[in-house]
């Protein structure tokens, strides 16, 4: 692992690092925020998965997570969203596929299967590096993300419920195997076998019996991608049918950008901090879960 | 004035606008955050001037001012740092001069004197537009900024003490007429007359009798530009000699970037909110001024 940069921020350290990824057959860049409490003990780890076109930098610059993460004592890990490099196959004019659009799957179709293995990178490879290099208590992990990264967070939590204590999302792609936004990418990465598609689809995973204790989702009411790309109503219906607890808040007037994400970042950090408290440490300083401005539950 | 974008954020509206500037003989882009309280009344206005190479966007994306500005009820105006456009003379390879480096002066040397009139733009032209187009109480204005923008904020406050009730800065260029960072730009914008240089130099203005009630400055202790470019010790000496109140905090371990600025943004917003309270509105909800992590006063 090589350090690209470290900056003191809110008493902690925001770092950017690069490491060779065997899963993706390329160098992968990621950001880690280590709060000041890490000088004394290992801390819970919260994974943030970004959306289409993003690198590690978008949420690092615009997500506004450090103030409260420093207060709550959360290590925040922000990976890239795809393999990178000149040798990585891409469709440069397609923002919904290729570089910046790994969809957190392990591709099985050539030529993408060599590099586009973001599922293995996020679930297997990067956690080992984080455990080895940072003051991270890997018994206490949560995961969240935005849009394509919200899809990543929910599907990874459903497939690894023993790993994560908490999962939330901002405007997640809830039903990617049917959404016009993601279905073409699934076809190119995963081929024509719909059973494989379902293994990377939040709604389908729940329909097929996967479970996670509870989800917390914020969705902007003025998000242009709500109806086709994101489909939170379908996640709500599937969760209701399966008895999976879902807190879904429609935030009226909010869009799909980091102006939306940053507004509700505090709520998500507190949600995770409460659930990542436990035997090792009392996180009661996280305080009660507080609703953001205009938050309404389950109105979809 | 034309609206480029508006986004709901923390219950308010973050907008980006463009207007024709007569002062700069070009179109100028700027950002304005209007907090939710503006639905009911006009609100105090806080001007943020950015540093070298920046546009309106840097602080809008990385400054983390909206959460507390929405709570305190502050309109935040973030202008660009120079004229823009193909017809504007520039030195493309020089980040300390030309586009992105207006230094908040009115240039008098050709060919720069046609466009590089940022002082008039910030002090005269843009306030008229803000007063006309936004719910701004122009009797309650504060000003702050970073680096070159900290220089802009302090010099503009010293030259217009009747206009501003409060002034603060992050890592300001305190003595630009002698600093290696800014002296070459002063020569090209202002010519060889040192009396003109002194009229845009915080230390010189105070030496020459200009006054402002008090300044609040945060400076990163690990800022690579501290010794030559910024020179806060010289501002401290001049303020002490003149009896001007200065709260100067050295923040150990912090650099010159927005990781530093965002960490102490809350402290600056509270400082201004306290001083922008007054006859029109009771801003007591702003709360007491709170020191940031590791803040020490006057240790330079």
């Amino acid at each position: 692992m090589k350090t690209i940069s470290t900056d003191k921020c809110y008493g902690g350290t925001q770092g950017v690092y690069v490491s060779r990824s065997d899963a993706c057959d390329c160098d992968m860049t990621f950001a880690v925020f280590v709060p000041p409490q890490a000088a004394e003990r290992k801390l819970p780890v919260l994974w943030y998965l970004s959306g289409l076109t993003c690198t590690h930098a978008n949420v690092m610059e615009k997500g506004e997570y450090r103030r409260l993460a420093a207060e709550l004592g959360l290590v925040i890990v922000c990976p890239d969203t795809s393999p990178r490099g000149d040798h990585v196959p891409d469709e440069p004019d397609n923002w919904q596929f290729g570089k910046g659009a790994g969809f957190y799957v392990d591709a099985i179709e050539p030529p993408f299967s060599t590099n586009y293995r973001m599922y293995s990178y996020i679930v297997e490879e990067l956690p080992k590096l984080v455990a080895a290099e940072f003051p991270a208590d890997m018994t206490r992990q949560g995961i969240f993300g935005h849009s394509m990264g919200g899809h990543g967070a929910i599907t990874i939590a459903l497939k690894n419920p023993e790993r994560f204590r908490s999962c939330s999302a901002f405007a997640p792609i809830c039903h990617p195997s049917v959404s016009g936004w993601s279905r073409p990418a699934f076809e190119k990465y995963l081929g024509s076998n719909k059973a494989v598609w379902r293994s990377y689809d939040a709604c389908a995973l729940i329909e097929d019996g996967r479970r996670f204790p509870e989800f917390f989702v914020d969705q902007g009411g003025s998000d242009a991608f709500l109806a086709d790309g994101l489909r939170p109503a379908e996640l709500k219906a599937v969760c209701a049918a399966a008895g999976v607890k879902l807190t879904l808040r429609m935030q009226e007037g909010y869009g799909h950008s980091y102006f939306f994400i940053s507004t509700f970042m505090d709520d998500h950090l507190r949600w995770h901090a409460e659930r990542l408290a436990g035997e090792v440490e009392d996180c009661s300083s996280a305080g009660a879960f507080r609703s953001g401005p205009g938050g309404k539950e389950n109105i979809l």
Side-chain angles (χ1 to χ4, degrees), chain A residues 264-282:
Chain A
F264 301 103
M265 178 60 76
D266 278 14
D267 290 352
H268 285 250
L269 294 179
R270 290 187 192 280
W271 164 277
H272 288 279
E274 288 180 4
R275 284 153 186 81
L276 295 172
E279 300 78 13
V280 185
E281 180 191 19
D282 177 14

Side-chain angles (χ1 to χ4, degrees), chain A residues 96-113:
Chain A
Q96 296 170 335
F97 185 74
K99 292 181 190 176
F103 275 95
Y104 305 101
V105 305
D106 281 352
I108 54 181
E109 288 292 304
F112 309 108
S113 52

Side-chain angles (χ1 to χ4, degrees), chain A residues 11-69:
Chain A
T13 302
Q14 178 64 65
V16 178
Y17 310 91
V18 64
S19 70
R20 168 75 194 174
S21 166
D22 291 332
C24 299
D25 191 28
C26 66
D27 286 346
M28 292 292 284
T29 303
F30 59 100
V32 180
F33 177 69
V34 175
Q37 299 89 335
E40 294 165 12
R41 60 190 187 279
K42 289 189 174 184
L43 298 170
V45 181
L46 183 55
W47 296 79
Y48 180 91
L49 305 185
S50 288
L52 285 163
T53 76
C54 291
T55 68
H56 68 283
N58 300 66
V59 69
M60 183 179 80
E61 296 178 351
K62 304 181 195 174
E64 304 193 12
Y65 58 79
R66 280 176 291 272
R67 179 187 51 80
L68 191 57

